[in-house]
Amino acid sequence: MNKPQDYDTVQAYTGQTPLPPGGYVCRIMQVLETTAKSSGAPMLKISLDIAEGDHKDRFAGLYRADTNPDKKWKCVVNQLVYDPNNANTTNRGFKSFTTSAEKSNQGFVIQWGDRFGECFKNKLVGVVFRREQYVSDYDGSLQFSTKPAFFRSVEEIRKGVPIPADKLLDGTTQPYSPQPAPAPQQVAPASLQGVGDLSDFDEIISDVPLPF
């Protein structure tokens, strides 16, 4: 077979539509206190899902549709508690998370101590997502994945926040540029018209429990 003319420029099918970068109102599903594997420093694992808009419950849907027995929640922020350069100084990212959660939930007060992680469950928080570059395990090509980058208050998100620059592998950034629109889909057979394209459909099974 000869190599198709546009082979190198066509993106491989990934099974799901990428989450557009930008600001989202999110629900905190779980906060676990743990330690970083490399340094043993205190760290939080913050599991999130989208609470409003067109992408509401996105990560719950992905979890329920995943047939892998070792499946994991796909939106988790690993947040150090202390500054990595000074163990006696609070990490600014940690302070951004806690203050953003307090501002986003009327009457919410952090419960320090044994119930610290538990007190955040089901609270809202604003999150700015950005695209981060990675190397594909499939073919070694450079791809982008949309990940949480910054915590903000829900009010800030609803007012509108700018889309952050893409983070590249070398640590630099470049302005976000949306991907070209996909080519028009081939018309489906008459028996399937009206059903829509099912190739990217995630079946959400309501009785599959979430891991929280």
Side-chain angles (χ1 to χ4, degrees):
M1 175 184 291
N2 292 328
K3 186 177 182 179
Q5 202 169 25
D6 63 344
Y7 179 83
D8 292 326
T9 60
V10 172
Q11 290 190 337
Y13 172 68
T14 61
Q16 69 183 70
T17 302
L19 180 70
Y24 293 88
V25 175
C26 290
R27 187 172 304 282
I28 302 170
M29 308 299 289
Q30 185 182 58
V31 173
L32 287 178
E33 296 184 62
T34 182
T35 56
K37 290 183 179 179
S38 58
S39 64
M43 184 179 78
L44 301 181
K45 281 188 170 292
I46 307 165
S47 299
L48 303 164
D49 203 355
I50 296 174
E52 297 179 0
D54 295 339
H55 299 278
K56 184 177 183 292
D57 300 328
R58 173 187 177 89
F59 296 102
L62 292 175
Y63 182 85
R64 287 171 169 145
D66 191 347
T67 58
N68 189 327
D70 298 321
K71 62 185 178 181
K72 297 179 181 180
W73 194 260
K74 296 185 183 297
C75 187
V76 179
V77 176
N78 294 324
Q79 176 60 63
L80 290 173
V81 176
Y82 297 100
D83 189 316
N85 298 316
N86 186 345
N88 296 317
T89 303
T90 301
N91 189 297
R92 291 182 64 184
F94 172 77
K95 187 65 178 287
S96 294
F97 166 65
T98 56
T99 56
S100 295
E102 286 182 311
K103 291 178 180 178
S104 299
N105 300 274
Q106 187 174 9
F108 173 58
V109 178
I110 293 174
Q111 299 182 37
W112 299 98
D114 293 340
R115 297 195 63 209
F116 174 79
E118 181 183 344
C119 78
F120 289 96
K121 187 175 177 63
N122 289 325
K123 298 296 186 295
L124 297 180
V125 69
V127 182
V128 180
F129 286 73
R130 72 177 172 195
R131 297 198 313 170
E132 297 186 9
Q133 196 175 47
Y134 71 96
V135 178
S136 170
D137 291 334
Y138 176 70
D139 59 5
S141 62
L142 294 178
Q143 303 289 339
F144 281 102
S145 177
T146 310
K147 297 183 178 182
F150 312 105
F151 288 106
R152 295 289 184 267
S153 71
V154 164
E155 182 181 6
E156 289 178 272
I157 297 298
R158 289 174 177 162
K159 285 182 178 178
V161 294
I163 295 176
D166 295 337
K167 182 180 179 181
L168 305 183
L169 276 177
D170 61 6
T172 62
T173 62
Q174 69 178 19
Y176 166 68
S177 178
Q179 297 294 323
Q185 296 291 322
Q186 184 176 2
V187 177
S191 60
L192 293 179
Q193 287 183 1
V195 176
D197 178 15
L198 302 183
S199 63
D200 200 29
F201 179 75
D202 286 330
E203 182 182 7
I204 298 178
I205 305 173
S206 60
D207 61 352
V208 175
L210 300 180
F212 310 112

